[in-house]
Amino acid sequence: MKILVATGSKYGSTREVGESIAAELSAVGFDVDCADAADVQGVHFYDAFVIGSAVYGGLWRRDASALVSDNAEELRHRDVWLFSVGMAGVKTPGQQTTEATQLASLVGARELRHFDGALDYERLNMGEKAIIRALNPPKGDFRDFAAIRDWSQSVATELRAVAAL
Ligand SMILES: Cc1cc2nc3c(=O)[nH]c(=O)nc-3n(C[C@H](O)[C@H](O)[C@H](O)COP(=O)(O)O)c2cc1C
């Protein structure tokens, strides 16, 4: 069973979450490719997908959302897990339904999971710094790699069940 883990990431924190998921799935014996969403050439090589993105302004990174929406027809017939990486403190009030929810229903994803991300203020561009100054969220790395590993294991359990069918 061939699995693609693909991510949309601007500053790398989401890419590292994807790499962690890919490493867990590989360690339990799956054949896994891990890639930036922008580099994915096609989805027909794969039986199952774990696709994630950083959230900016309530939206997924365009490369990741395009990977899902451009291939929705094929993905609807495969097993797909989605995850978002973001910071609760950066959400503006009323930002309830993110694009990720719509993408998950578009492809009938088995699950859409949220993980806390990381914010390194010094690396942001001027516009981003202005937004972050205004919202003043906690800054730092809030990624919980134990929770990410646990989720990867639950995905692996479901994948084994799918593979046995
Ligand atoms: C300008 C800006 C806007 C953001 N908007 C959101 C948002 O709308 N919702 C959210 O949950 N996180 C938001 N975040 C937090 C990022 O998603 C988080 O820092 C993430 O870990 C970044 O991932 P990356 O390092 O892969 O680019 C925002 C961060 C910045 C700098």
Side-chain angles (χ1 to χ4, degrees), residues 127-148:
E128 292 167 341
K129 279 183 174 163
I131 293 168
I132 297 306
R133 269 200 308 276
L135 294 172
N136 196 25
K139 294 159 197 81
D141 189 344
F142 297 92
R143 292 171 299 171
D144 179 348
F145 281 97
I148 293 161

Side-chain angles (χ1 to χ4, degrees), residues 34-64:
C34 184
D36 286 350
D39 296 334
V40 175
Q41 299 296 321
V43 296
H44 44 282
F45 312 109
Y46 302 101
D47 304 299
F49 299 82
V50 182
I51 303 173
S53 178
V55 180
Y56 285 89
L59 299 175
W60 267 29
R61 298 276 297 162
R62 189 174 294 273
D63 47 3

